Amino acid sequence: MTPLKHLPAWKALTAHHKSMRHFDMRNAFREDAQRFNRLSLRCGNLLLDYSKNRVTAETMELLKQLAVESGLPEYRDAMMRGERINFTENRAVLHTALRAPSRPPLRVEGVDIEAEVAKVLGRMQRFVESIHNGSWLGYTGRPIRDVVNIGIGGSDLGPAMVCAALDHYALESIRVHFVSNLDPAHLAITLKSLDPETTLFIVASKTFTTLETLANANSAKAWLLSALHAPAAVSRHFVALSTNAPAVQAFGIDPDNMFIFWDWVGGRYSLWSAIGLSIALLIGWGNFQALLAGAHAMDIHFREAPLDANMPVILGMLGIWYGNFWGTDTYGIFPYDQRLRLLVPFLQQLDMESNGKNVNRDNKQVNYNTGPIVWGAPGTNGQHAFFELVHQGTRLIPTDFLVAAVNPTPLADQHEWLLANCLAQTEALLKGKSRAVIEAELIAQGMSREAARALAPHKVFPGNRPSNTLLYQKLDPHTLGMLIALYEHKVFVQGVIWQINSFDQWGVELGKQLAPPIRAALSSVRVIGEHDGSTLGLIADIRRRRGLST
Ligand code: G6Q
């Protein structure tokens, strides 16, 4: 494999970046009335405006060449064909197959993937409908009112984010809750207002070995049994979503109440699989299908649109441009949409767990930066918190702003103000405000020339700061599906360019192995295991507080 920095396009981009150091987007807009038209793109009802970036036609051409030289189209097709591109775990990566209508059939290594998927979707649909129409009842004969999804990471963040985003599609008869944290407070606070007779627990765990999930599921089972006093109640109040049937059975969940998925579905890509059961229970089967259809529409766009008119490719390549040539470390995501308040944590996992890697496909350490630190919060809240640093700080921060043209909650003119604020922020990032203008304003307000000169530098906004805007009609299931798939593919694009495996997560696995010896050391007769001085000190302090010898 040619090292990334040896690719002709990489070298050309390095030289091009030098010539772009003093590029000013404000001049670019003045000189080119068509800049918005040239640097914006539509897919369905999504509009991506990427004209407020430090790019020219030449930049975009070179980035496209880099994508071609990196073999992006070939890797994309290999993923969608079901090749084992997750080479460190020897697995295919087929989340796109979860949202593809059943034709044409996809056979991977002799297995009819679409038939497998359709079988599980059919079971999920029947289950969801039986909860909604009241044919599935709790152990004492009462209908299910509350659903608690117990899972963590990929088995929590996706469905929790979608349920929050599509709350305006929620059926009135159902409430959905999410419990993930090992801290018993999470489960206890959630259960406080619930009635065991009308509560269904979904234990969501791909491996069914995850400490947090099993601990919460065991506590939930104890809570149920202490109220209903009948082991048979478990089969009416617990279902499992997993790839590990024996472990589900060992936990005491009826195999008939298990919805399977497969090792080719990565945790952070799993909301489209059985892991989406809580979503379907909240918004109904038709809306869940619309979510899948939206993602499928983005898959088709990603597979078929030319690279220079391909949304995930453009977003991905812009991220490379800033991260690897301008030296940015972080990426800000600002949804001007309260319903998308969990999008940032979801994207943090999607992006940072996928591309937070330092070894390439040749098993060598890379000599360039890979995944950025992803952060953000919904607008307008962010404006009153950290936007100061985005506008006036010393760092360059690429950003995505997301906003709907129409709000499903029409309260007075609040949405108009929301939209106006979103556009105003990206305009301010672009235009900035010069010292001369500020001084003139201060003097016009009656300030002395000298005082104005002293204060003005503090009020200067340098401008020329980049942003993408993603504008959609309104947040409906189809649009949300498109948005999520857009970011999934953006992350994929970047992983291919960086020559890393975006689909393993050894860092997560390590976390799962570290705690048991420390857990034992906290309460055993003697401290066992090898620990560093700091950890030993902390263990000793905890033991002292418990009256144990140190
Ligand atoms: C996701 C990660 C990780 C995983 C959780 C939960 O891609 O692998 O976040 O989803 O650790 O794992 P289980 O679903 O196996 O409980």
Side-chain angles (χ1 to χ4, degrees), residues 152-155 204-208 210 213 266-268 349 353 505 508-509 512:
I152 195 164
S155 301
S205 177
K206 181 175 167 181
T207 55
F208 228 80
T210 305
T213 301
R268 52 199 175 277
Q349 180 188 35
E353 198 167 282
Q505 54 283 311
V508 180
E509 311 302 332
K512 292 182 181 181

Side-chain angles (χ1 to χ4, degrees), residues 8-38:
W10 184 278
K11 292 181 185 165
L13 277 160
T14 307
H16 174 63
H17 173 250
K18 282 198 185 111
S19 73
M20 288 288 287
R21 273 203 192 127
H22 302 292
F23 178 78
D24 194 319
M25 290 187 268
R26 289 162 288 206
N27 294 336
F29 273 103
R30 267 191 293 271
E31 287 160 13
D32 180 4
Q34 292 304 310
R35 187 173 168 88
F36 170 80
N37 289 332
R38 282 195 310 99

Side-chain angles (χ1 to χ4, degrees), residues 17-249:
H17 173 250
K18 282 198 185 111
S19 73
M20 288 288 287
R21 273 203 192 127
H22 302 292
F23 178 78
D24 194 319
M25 290 187 268
R26 289 162 288 206
N27 294 336
F29 273 103
R30 267 191 293 271
E31 287 160 13
D32 180 4
Q34 292 304 310
R35 187 173 168 88
F36 170 80
N37 289 332
R38 282 195 310 99
L39 301 177
S40 62
L41 183 62
R42 284 170 203 280
C43 176
N45 79 72
L46 274 187
L47 167 69
L48 166 64
D49 169 20
Y50 62 101
S51 59
K52 294 189 183 96
N53 277 295
R54 294 182 180 182
V55 296
T56 61
E58 187 186 354
T59 321
M60 297 314 296
E61 181 56 31
L62 289 173
L63 288 170
K64 183 180 92 178
Q65 275 179 33
L66 180 63
V68 172
E69 288 172 16
S70 299
L72 176 64
E74 293 79 5
Y75 275 101
R76 175 196 58 198
D77 296 347
M79 172 175 75
M80 292 189 176
R81 266 198 312 272
E83 284 181 27
R84 297 182 179 231
I85 62 165
N86 177 357
F87 58 92
T88 57
E89 295 181 313
N90 192 27
R91 288 176 182 167
V93 175
L94 271 175
H95 47 279
T96 52
L98 297 167
R99 54 226 189 183
S102 45
R103 264 166 270 278
L106 175 66
R107 292 194 82 82
V108 176
E109 297 168 11
V111 179
D112 182 344
I113 298 288
E114 300 305 350
E116 291 276 302
V117 171
K119 220 187 305 167
V120 178
L121 283 174
R123 285 194 60 225
M124 286 169 68
Q125 178 177 8
R126 285 191 292 283
F127 179 74
V128 166
E129 286 170 357
S130 72
I131 295 279
H132 290 161
N133 67 25
S135 56
W136 179 291
L137 297 170
Y139 182 68
T140 58
R142 292 175 59 194
I144 298 299
R145 173 83 182 94
D146 288 281
V147 173
V148 182
N149 185 88
I150 299 179
I152 195 164
S155 301
D156 167 74
L157 289 162
M161 180 272 287
V162 172
C163 285
L166 298 179
D167 179 61
H168 50 306
Y169 288 83
L171 299 172
E172 280 195 2
S173 56
I174 284 281
R175 291 181 301 216
V176 175
H177 316 263
F178 289 86
V179 171
S180 55
N181 202 329
L182 189 54
D183 183 341
H186 200 173
L187 182 68
I189 291 166
T190 307
L191 294 184
K192 219 155 62 181
S193 61
L194 304 190
D195 180 346
E197 290 184 49
T198 55
T199 298
L200 175 80
F201 292 98
I202 299 178
V203 187
S205 177
K206 181 175 167 181
T207 55
F208 228 80
T209 57
T210 305
L211 170 70
E212 293 88 337
T213 301
L214 294 185
N216 278 319
N218 274 313
S219 299
K221 190 157 78 168
W223 175 80
L224 183 89
L225 291 177
S226 74
L228 301 186
H229 309 290
V234 173
S235 69
R236 305 306 296 167
H237 293 268
F238 273 81
V239 299
L241 321 173
S242 188
T243 58
N244 186 351
V248 167
Q249 215 165 343

